[in-house]
Amino acid sequence: MTSVVLFIPAYSLPKKFTTSYFDEAFSRLYGDQNLIVLKEGKSVRISLDEHTGCGFKSRSTYQYAFFSTSVKLPAANYTAGVVVTFYTSNGDVYKDSHDELDFEFLGHANNGSWVLQTNLYGNGSIGRGREERYSLPFDPSENFHNYSILWTEKTTVFYVDYVPIRVTQKVEAMAGDYPSKPMSLYATIWNGSDWATGGGKYKVDYAYAPFVSQYSNFVLQACSNSDCDDSLTTEERNKMKEFRSKYVTYSYCVDSKRYPIPLP
């Protein structure tokens, strides 16, 4: 099949990318019976039920890239304990020193709202997680919304609907905590009852299953710093400041109980 060109709205880097068909870009990871490829191969549906979750993984690895997809989350009155993800990792290769960049969507109890979490690990620094959590200015189960990660040698940017919501700069004090080894791209849905909702207070209730999430508009664009500009315009920084002032609900940066001495 011939790839199609996706034109990105404002607040994006760069202005166009090539989208990938699922079977060209990904292989099935687990829960085969819960993965359905849709729309001539450009969209995929994954689900969690009482038997299994589901996931897929990029066929290639990337060292610095732009990753993007549109996601519609499970629409149910109760999704507690459900975790939907879009993330990069090399944990299958580097067992004790893996890197990771995460979008994690955490389910809700009693008609609540989905929570978005981002995280960053480098060189196996799982004891120094850099979690941030956000509410969202929309219901992510009603329509598709775009989630993107720009990862370069010096900067990582997380985007929601092409608006930057978080920037992590590589600084000398981080040492190996900045992700720097080739990674694969993953997407999964699974039971995170032990931590995802209310710190584990609310568990998955399979009476509401199957929990179905759909992905489309996949972009996996390897890039060097020369063709993936990781600088933000003034307008982008203003958009990010506005988003963060309204929607950040937790940041490791201000968690003095967890980190009495702040991480670099």
Side-chain angles (χ1 to χ4, degrees), residues 52-66:
T52 185
C54 188
F56 54 92
K57 173 187 177 182
S58 64
R59 295 183 181 275
S60 300
T61 59
Y62 301 83
Q63 185 164 22
Y64 310 125
F66 182 81

Side-chain angles (χ1 to χ4, degrees), residues 217-245:
N217 292 335
F218 299 109
V219 175
L220 302 86
Q221 182 79 43
C223 57
S224 67
N225 286 341
S226 62
D227 56 22
C228 274
D229 182 8
D230 57 13
S231 61
L232 299 183
T233 66
T234 299
E235 186 174 16
E236 286 174 317
R237 290 192 177 278
N238 288 338
K239 287 284 185 180
M240 181 170 66
K241 182 178 180 180
E242 180 182 2
F243 181 95
R244 293 181 64 80
S245 68

